[in-house]
Amino acid sequence: MRVVVAGSSGLIGTSLVAALRGAGHEVVRLVRRRPAAPDERGWDPPAARIDAGCLDGADAVVNLCGAGVADKRWTDARKQVLLDSRTVPTEVLAAAVVEHGVPVLVNASAIGYYGDTGDELVTEDTPSGTGFLADLCRQWEAATAPAEAAARVVKLRTGLVISPSGGLFGAIRPLFTFFLGGRLGDGRQYMPWISLDDAVSAIRFVLEHDDVRGPVNLTAPGPVTNAEFTRTVGHALHRPTPWVVPGFVLRAVLGQLAEEGVLAGQRAVPRVLDRQGFTFLHPALGAAVAAAAGR
């Protein structure tokens, strides 16, 4: 296939490009700077501009664009950045898919679509929840609507990514290394996770299977609570995890991000991937964390 990838410099995008090429696919990377490599093409989402010809003959577009949700405190200005960095590129690519007759659009979304669901088992049929993250994901997914009449559209509701560097594990590993790992709040909130290898393999899977469309939970089949996650990471790194970060401290430091992104959770499972026969390399958290830790 000839696959056009936006957001190719991120954690998932970098690995996806390498995996697609390793499988024999041609990859074109959309970049917002001046193209500097033969596989790069320029685009400017706010100006709705894409270099001429880059979607000609494309079999699929993969859009992974979006500013980091947990990178900064959620001020009103930051919330607007989070929204615009997702909906604007998606709108541009959805229109381009229609204009150029591209048959497949695989678009990023997030598991935050469901809001805080407590112990409820969450599948792709679960309705959207409440809060900023849920609203953000609804608008993000709605931006693909122009393409749905003309193309197969897949919406990847991605969980927390476990990777040797970057993603959730990369961010917290130093804390555990220096004996600072601990439970967040009461630890009962579920953490839907997926290994980077499985995330990339699943994206390849949905690209190559024509009967997959609509929302897809990009999560491993075994969601765990924060308390279990903490114990598992500590065990993999051979570190005790006695600490507890109280909820009120997280709220004071992170504000709304703590309430929706740290202390809330979703017990999400990948029903679509399971039904389609996708095989996970890391179905259990212990194996995923051990692999990420190089053990």
Side-chain angles (χ1 to χ4, degrees):
M1 293 188 293
R2 185 172 191 262
V3 184
V4 177
V5 180
S8 63
S9 62
L11 177 67
I12 294 178
T14 301
S15 294
L16 176 64
V17 168
L20 289 172
R21 287 180 176 152
H25 301 302
E26 177 189 356
V27 178
V28 175
R29 296 183 294 137
L30 294 180
V31 297
R32 304 191 193 199
R33 49 173 170 76
R34 184 185 297 274
D39 67 332
E40 295 180 348
R41 302 292 185 275
W43 76 317
D44 183 357
R49 182 190 63 78
I50 304 177
D51 280 0
C54 78
L55 267 68
D56 293 346
D59 297 291
V61 170
V62 179
N63 175 27
L64 303 173
C65 292
V69 168
D71 291 355
K72 297 179 181 180
R73 191 181 177 96
W74 289 355
T75 63
D76 289 343
R78 182 59 181 175
K79 287 181 181 179
Q80 194 63 50
V81 168
L82 295 176
L83 178 63
D84 291 345
S85 67
R86 288 162 169 76
T87 58
V88 173
T90 301
E91 290 167 353
V92 172
L93 290 174
V97 161
V98 175
E99 179 182 354
H100 294 273
V102 181
V104 181
L105 171 61
V106 176
N107 205 81
S109 182
I111 213 72
Y113 175 91
Y114 303 109
D116 185 8
T117 57
D119 292 337
E120 175 189 357
L121 197 64
V122 173
T123 72
E124 290 84 354
D125 294 327
T126 302
S128 182
T130 59
F132 169 70
L133 281 180
D135 185 58
L136 173 70
C137 293
R138 280 194 299 271
Q139 295 188 60
W140 195 0
E141 294 187 8
T144 67
E148 291 186 343
R152 178 170 67 91
V153 176
V154 179
K155 304 165 188 176
L156 302 170
R157 294 175 181 165
T158 308
L160 302 165
V161 178
I162 307 297
S163 165
S165 60
L168 173 65
F169 183 73
I172 66 173
R173 183 173 186 168
L175 296 175
F176 282 79
T177 300
F178 290 102
F179 298 90
L180 296 175
R183 196 182 74 217
L184 302 177
D186 62 19
R188 292 198 295 264
Q189 67 274 31
Y190 273 88
M191 300 178 66
W193 61 273
I194 188 168
S195 73
L196 178 60
D197 288 338
D198 280 332
V200 169
S201 294
I203 296 173
R204 282 186 53 199
F205 183 88
V206 302
L207 280 170
E208 297 165 358
H209 285 72
D210 292 339
D211 50 348
V212 180
R213 64 176 61 239
V216 172
N217 286 347
L218 204 63
T219 62
V224 298
T225 64
N226 173 259
E228 184 177 350
F229 182 90
T230 301
R231 288 193 298 270
T232 302
V233 173
H235 178 75
L237 297 179
H238 304 298
R239 294 292 189 272
T241 55
W243 309 110
V244 177
V245 183
F248 74 87
V249 173
L250 291 166
R251 293 184 185 96
V253 174
L254 300 176
Q256 188 179 359
L257 170 58
E259 198 65 53
E260 294 191 32
V262 178
L263 298 173
Q266 303 83 22
R267 190 183 174 194
V269 293
R271 178 167 292 178
V272 170
L273 289 175
D274 282 344
R275 287 178 173 175
Q276 292 293 330
F278 177 75
T279 301
F280 285 86
L281 177 64
H282 300 122
L285 179 64
V289 172
R295 302 185 186 279

